[in-house]
Amino acid sequence: PTLAPGSAWSRLRWVGAAVAILLTAVVMSRNWPQAPSPSQTPLVETATLLRGTGPFQPVRSGDAVEAGDLVHLRLELTRAAHVYVLNQDDSGALALLFPLPGYALVNPLSAGEPLEIPGAPAAGGLSVAWTIGANGGRERFLILASVEPMAEFDSAIAALPTPGEIPARPLADDTVASLYRGVTGLAELPAEVPTSDGSVFDLARRLTETEGDAGRVWLREIVLRND
């Protein structure tokens, strides 16, 4: 059967309107702001070294610190990631500040809320901080985050000393300061403390250069003066 002229015209008008609406939607969608892909989103939202016992004061590269200063890291990730924190002074001595065995925070760290690093012992107790040692010259802090585990980096830092042991029992209020870890360690160290010519720091930079452009590895180095 044939359509009446009026009916055919109505259908054409309806199809034309639908096409116009579709084209408008396509044009508008191209102009709408697009959500960034994971590769475009920085892996680390914030990473700040904080000094003191509260109120905390941020410390940045070039700032001066003194022996006995308490320092910890406040970190917020946009995605779950493996995080490493290292310290090296002018003598070349390296210490692995995070992750620490026996602590509640373990890799990979979760995203979405600020984390206080190194955190608290897994067995319970107060959060701890790192203690600045005496006359270390420049204190270099390396903060590295990666979406995937970094086997090469894990191998490179496996022999590094960590800053002290977890207290075996709760301490009285007047000895709370002893909970805080030393950057170079409060526990006994091997007779020969591993030193470095910077190769671990160089390895971290190289890994960042090869994968950082994909937003999967993030690196920051903070150098403090400890004269």
Side-chain angles (χ1 to χ4, degrees):
T2 58
L3 294 173
S7 176
W9 176 244
S10 297
R11 287 174 179 270
L12 286 173
R13 291 179 61 186
W14 182 87
V15 171
V19 170
I21 292 173
L22 179 60
L23 290 174
T24 302
V26 170
V27 172
M28 292 181 63
S29 67
R30 290 181 177 177
N31 294 326
W32 286 338
Q34 302 295 313
S37 66
S39 64
Q40 296 173 325
T41 304
L43 180 55
V44 176
E45 184 73 26
T46 58
T48 307
L49 278 180
L50 299 171
R51 174 174 51 194
T53 57
F56 301 121
Q57 300 295 323
V59 287
R60 301 175 178 85
S61 284
D63 286 353
V65 291
E66 299 178 353
D69 278 350
L70 305 176
V71 178
H72 73 281
L73 173 66
R74 180 170 293 160
L75 181 75
E76 186 172 357
L77 301 167
T78 60
R79 284 164 286 164
H82 297 256
V83 173
Y84 307 86
V85 184
L86 288 85
N87 170 258
Q88 184 179 45
D89 62 20
D90 274 348
S91 73
L94 266 171
L96 177 63
L97 305 187
F98 186 85
L100 293 177
Y103 275 69
L105 288 178
V106 296
N107 282 324
L109 298 181
S110 59
E113 60 181 1
L115 301 172
E116 308 293 333
I117 296 175
L126 299 175
S127 293
V128 301
W130 306 298
T131 302
I132 298 295
N135 299 324
R138 292 178 302 171
E139 296 285 354
R140 302 169 64 195
F141 289 83
L142 183 80
I143 307 164
L144 177 66
S146 173
V147 172
E148 287 89 15
M150 304 180 72
E152 185 178 1
F153 196 73
D154 282 328
S155 177
I157 64 175
L160 295 181
T162 58
E165 62 184 9
I166 300 171
R169 57 185 175 80
L171 302 177
D173 291 342
D174 60 350
T175 57
V176 164
S178 64
L179 281 170
Y180 294 90
R181 300 292 160 266
V183 169
T184 54
L186 293 180
E188 289 186 10
L189 295 177
E192 181 176 333
V193 178
T195 59
S196 170
D197 58 1
S199 59
V200 174
F201 278 48
D202 293 338
L203 173 60
R205 295 189 192 97
R206 178 168 59 80
L207 292 172
T208 306
E209 289 170 358
T210 57
E211 301 189 43
D213 57 348
R216 306 184 72 80
V217 179
W218 179 95
L219 175 72
R220 174 170 296 172
E221 185 176 345
I222 300 174
V223 182
L224 304 179
R225 295 184 294 108
N226 180 16
D227 305 322

